[in-house]
Amino acid sequence: MDVVDIAVIGGGIAGASLARAAADGRRVLLLERESQPGTHSSGRSAALFSETYGNAVVRALSIGSRDFLLAPPEDFAGFVLTRPRGAMHVGRPGQETAIRSRAEALAALVPSVREIGPADAAAWVPVLQPHSVAGAVFEPEALDLDTNGLLQGSLRGLRRRGGEVRTEAEVMALAPLPGGGWRIETTTGAVEAGIVVNAAGAWADVIATLAGVAPVGLVPKRRTAFLFDAPGHAADGWPLVVDLDETFYIKPDAGKLLGSPADETPSPPCDAQPEEIDVAVAVDRIERATTLQIRRLTHRWAGLRSFVADKTPVLGFDPQAPGFFWCAGQGGYGFQTAPAMARLGAALLRGDPVPEDLARLGVTAAALAPGRFRTGPQPMEPHP
């Protein structure tokens, strides 16, 4: 039986990046039930970094991740994690006031954001229907992310620091040990760990229930996407285009266009698959807003983006289960917040305060703490 300091359950970007950051002289074991890490949500991301996306906590974590993503550490040698892309929020006639308000609100967060008129929007993306565009909000500093590079670099960094990645290791049971720590029964054998990190994505509440820990109300939501050709268009330089109401988006992707209805359909934890109606809705919305004619889809998929009620990630020790640490609820922000979430999570695992740069951005441990979902007086979690 293996005995480790920290066992991380879940090999998506949340678990992989935190496992790497936590392997600071302690033995870390990453448990992934699939044959390879990143099989579910982390392998189905739209791969965009935007400092205007999400609530205040998410935006702060994204800003705190930018330097890492632009200049990754030695672990990530060979991976260029970002590429200029830009993002454009397009408004219809009648939404002029909403366009201006959105531009002012986002420019207060990211000064480079600006309002542009319909002619400028069409210059950036010439397939936009002139009669359907009243203007847009342009975010020039939004970036493409190499999501596979970020995941693989995290796994490589974990191994370089002495950690282990174990695949096809589904967790079957968890139980606290009398002297502290946890016993984890997996399909590859038992593990004892001083700390369990629950980074199981859409299955995080399931893992908590197995451990006898109260869930945090995680709701996985399905998002559909597909790839299609855009013959006759040099689309690679276009920004991501999303309508102001976020009912669809398109984004260049490896010589094709990625389309989505930006759906958020509640789902049980599962290997999500695209629904034909969601694909059809997205195709119709894109064709109405642009001159594109989508004749054939080259690939389609769906992923689960998991949220708690306040749409802020859950990170920290559970106040009612010593040694049980949450890293869940990243929603659609997992990759763009992963570096900051990993640094913050590693600090909390050590019992250290919030890193100074994140604290200056307004990040507090309380804002992410799982205890915010509990009622009544809570016992203090002793730091290991």
Side-chain angles (χ1 to χ4, degrees):
M1 179 176 62
D2 286 302
V3 179
V4 299
D5 298 309
I6 300 173
V8 178
I9 301 172
I13 189 56
S17 57
L18 179 52
R20 170 190 171 275
D24 51 2
R26 291 183 287 185
R27 187 180 178 200
V28 177
L29 172 62
L30 181 65
L31 298 170
E32 167 56 51
R33 75 173 189 172
E34 305 295 349
S35 60
Q36 61 182 11
T39 297
H40 294 287
S41 297
S42 290
R44 309 175 193 190
S45 169
L48 187 80
F49 174 88
S50 168
E51 292 173 322
T52 68
Y53 193 37
N55 64 25
V57 178
V58 169
R59 293 194 303 267
L61 291 167
S62 299
I63 293 168
S65 297
R66 188 181 185 99
D67 287 348
F68 183 107
L69 295 170
L70 290 174
E74 184 180 350
D75 304 18
F76 292 76
F79 291 112
V80 177
L81 297 181
T82 62
R83 178 186 175 191
R85 172 58 58 201
M88 192 161 66
H89 304 251
V90 178
R92 304 184 306 276
Q95 290 188 308
E96 289 83 359
T97 300
I99 293 168
R100 183 157 294 110
S101 297
R102 179 76 61 85
E104 291 173 353
L106 296 185
L109 303 170
V110 181
S112 61
V113 170
R114 64 183 186 272
E115 180 182 355
I116 62 175
D120 287 334
W124 275 105
V125 183
V127 296
L128 290 170
Q129 290 280 15
H131 64 268
S132 68
V133 179
V137 181
F138 186 55
E139 181 186 357
E141 294 181 344
L143 301 167
D144 274 348
L145 287 179
D146 179 354
T147 54
N148 183 63
L150 187 53
L151 178 63
Q152 297 304 323
S154 297
L155 296 170
R156 184 165 67 186
L158 169 62
R159 294 186 179 104
R160 285 185 174 181
R161 298 178 181 199
E164 180 186 350
V165 178
R166 187 171 301 171
T167 56
E168 298 183 319
E170 182 174 0
V171 174
M172 310 302 292
L174 296 96
L177 293 169
W182 291 82
R183 181 181 174 90
I184 310 165
E185 301 289 346
T186 81
T187 49
T188 59
V191 176
E192 288 189 359
I195 295 171
V196 167
V197 174
N198 180 9
W203 286 266
D205 269 354
V206 175
I207 292 296
T209 301
L210 279 178
V213 175
V216 294
L218 201 70
V219 180
K221 296 183 178 183
R222 187 178 70 247
R223 174 150 294 186
T224 306
F226 51 82
L227 292 176
F228 62 96
D229 292 315
H233 298 289
D236 190 59
W238 295 354
L240 173 139
V241 174
V242 55
D243 72 307
L244 208 64
D245 298 324
E246 200 172 346
T247 63
F248 77 89
Y249 63 80
I250 57 174
K251 175 180 178 287
D253 189 299
K256 301 181 184 296
L257 285 173
L258 183 155
S260 173
D263 47 334
E264 290 189 345
T265 307
S267 167
C270 65
D271 182 13
Q273 299 298 318
E275 299 283 345
E276 289 297 330
I277 184 62
D278 294 327
V279 173
V281 164
V283 168
D284 179 66
R285 291 173 180 171
I286 293 167
E287 290 188 338
R288 286 175 181 271
T290 71
T291 59
L292 294 166
Q293 297 294 305
I294 303 174
R295 296 289 178 252
R296 185 175 71 90
L297 305 183
T298 60
H299 184 48
R300 66 187 76 189
W301 67 94
L304 297 180
R305 306 156 78 245
S306 299
F307 298 90
V308 292
D310 60 9
K311 291 195 171 182
T312 296
V314 184
L315 188 72
F317 283 105
D318 193 285
Q320 298 175 339
F324 190 91
F325 190 94
W326 289 84
C327 181
Q330 287 84 0
Y333 323 112
F335 277 100
Q336 71 174 46
T337 62
M341 282 279 287
R343 283 196 295 125
L344 175 56
L348 297 177
L349 283 166
R350 293 190 300 266
D352 291 343
V354 174
E356 288 185 8
D357 65 311
L358 298 180
R360 287 195 297 271
L361 292 168
V363 177
T364 65
L368 293 95
R372 72 188 192 268
F373 301 103
R374 311 288 194 256
T375 58
Q378 300 300 319
M380 295 294 293
E381 166 63 41
H383 292 302

